[in-house]
């Protein structure tokens, strides 16, 4: 009998761990998702599972205003994209103070990472809900991956993330890197 995993809303760390556990046990599964972006993310998770036992993924929790489950979901996304989780958390701290419902810049910047769809939706697709912390994290990691491919260095990536120009320094990259260094790990398993 196939175990069904229904992903109708946000992809949580718990939902992905449940899926990963089923796959790791060799159980046949059916996955139903709402969007092609969720399907692509799930495929990345499955590819990651093939490479590493998800029960062996070291869970890290940082001293930020997100629950352990929320951080596990964000960590999974960062792992899939190869993006430093502390960098992503630093962006969330600077941009919104971890407020997933944040709207700024005359309603142009959305979510925890204050992403502007008019500039970045061609990178992450238009199916993501930027006011959902997991979808927004996928979008943020997609944008950062895209910028790393183009510009290489973290400073230039952060400049481009903030201003659109990798060579336009306005202090943003330095402030993000400072916050990243200040984010304290509180435990891991």
């Amino acid at each position: 009998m196939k175990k069904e995993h229904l992903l109708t809303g946000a992809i949580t760390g718990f939902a992905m761990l449940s899926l990963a556990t089923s796959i790791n046990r060799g159980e046949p599964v059916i996955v139903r998702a709402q969007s092609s972006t969720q399907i692509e993310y799930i495929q990345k998770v499955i590819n990651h599972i093939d490479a590493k036992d998800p029960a062996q993924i070291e869970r890290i929790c940082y001293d930020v205003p997100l629950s352990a489950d929320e951080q596990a979901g964000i960590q999974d996304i960062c792992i899939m994209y190869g993006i430093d989780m502390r960098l992503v958390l630093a962006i969330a701290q600077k941009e919104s103070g971890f407020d997933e419902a944040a709207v700024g810049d005359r309603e142009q910047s959305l979510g925890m990472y204050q992403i502007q769809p008019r500039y970045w939706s061609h990178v992450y697709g238009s199916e993501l809900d930027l006011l959902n912390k997991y979808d927004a994290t996928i979008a943020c990691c997609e944008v950062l991956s895209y910028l790393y491919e183009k510009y290489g260095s973290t400073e230039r990536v952060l400049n481009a993330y903030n201003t659109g120009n990798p060579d336009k320094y306005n202090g943003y990259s330095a402030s993000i890197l400072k916050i990243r260094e200040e984010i304290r790990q509180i435990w891991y398993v």
Side-chain angles (χ1 to χ4, degrees):
M1 184 167 159
K2 291 185 179 181
K3 184 172 182 180
E4 186 166 341
H5 295 267
L6 183 60
L7 301 174
T8 57
I11 300 173
T12 65
F14 178 77
M16 293 314 297
L17 186 58
S18 173
L19 174 62
T21 301
S22 293
I23 292 169
N24 214 29
R25 290 181 181 155
E27 299 171 353
V29 297
I30 298 171
V31 179
R32 299 187 195 280
Q34 284 185 320
S35 71
S36 62
T37 303
Q38 282 185 336
I39 292 167
E40 289 170 16
Y41 173 64
I42 291 163
Q43 186 60 53
K44 286 182 181 187
V45 170
I46 290 169
N47 291 341
H48 183 68
I49 291 166
D50 288 343
K52 184 173 185 176
D53 177 358
Q56 301 302 314
I57 294 174
E58 189 176 88
R59 289 289 171 204
I60 299 171
C61 198
Y62 294 100
D63 189 15
V64 297
L66 296 170
S67 72
D69 188 52
E70 290 170 324
Q71 289 190 48
I74 290 170
Q75 181 184 14
D76 288 344
I77 295 165
C78 291
I79 288 169
M80 296 310 123
Y81 285 93
I83 301 292
D84 174 15
M85 181 176 171
R86 285 189 318 151
L87 183 67
V88 169
L89 294 174
I91 293 170
Q93 171 69 40
K94 171 99 173 148
E95 293 290 349
S96 71
F98 297 97
D99 180 1
E100 73 180 302
V103 176
D105 297 321
R106 295 177 304 279
E107 300 185 1
Q108 299 299 307
S109 299
L110 303 174
M112 231 166 49
Y113 309 100
Q114 291 295 280
I115 295 171
Q116 291 194 11
R118 67 182 174 159
Y119 296 123
W120 298 116
S121 65
H122 71 282
V123 173
Y124 64 80
S126 60
E127 296 173 345
L128 294 175
D129 176 4
L130 296 179
L131 297 177
N132 169 287
K133 73 177 63 66
Y134 304 108
D135 280 359
T137 302
I138 292 170
C140 180
C141 287
E142 285 275 351
V143 170
L144 291 174
S145 293
Y146 169 80
L147 294 172
Y148 271 116
E149 273 185 41
K150 285 183 78 167
Y151 305 120
S153 80
T154 300
E155 184 175 321
R156 295 186 81 218
V157 164
L158 292 171
N159 289 343
Y161 182 89
N162 183 247
T163 68
N165 181 342
D167 299 316
K168 184 175 181 182
Y169 180 80
N170 63 1
Y172 181 83
S173 60
S175 67
I176 293 294
L177 294 174
K178 183 177 187 296
I179 293 167
R180 180 180 72 178
E181 293 310 311
E182 292 170 352
I183 291 177
R184 195 170 55 86
Q185 180 178 313
I186 54 175
W187 60 265
Y188 69 90
V189 291

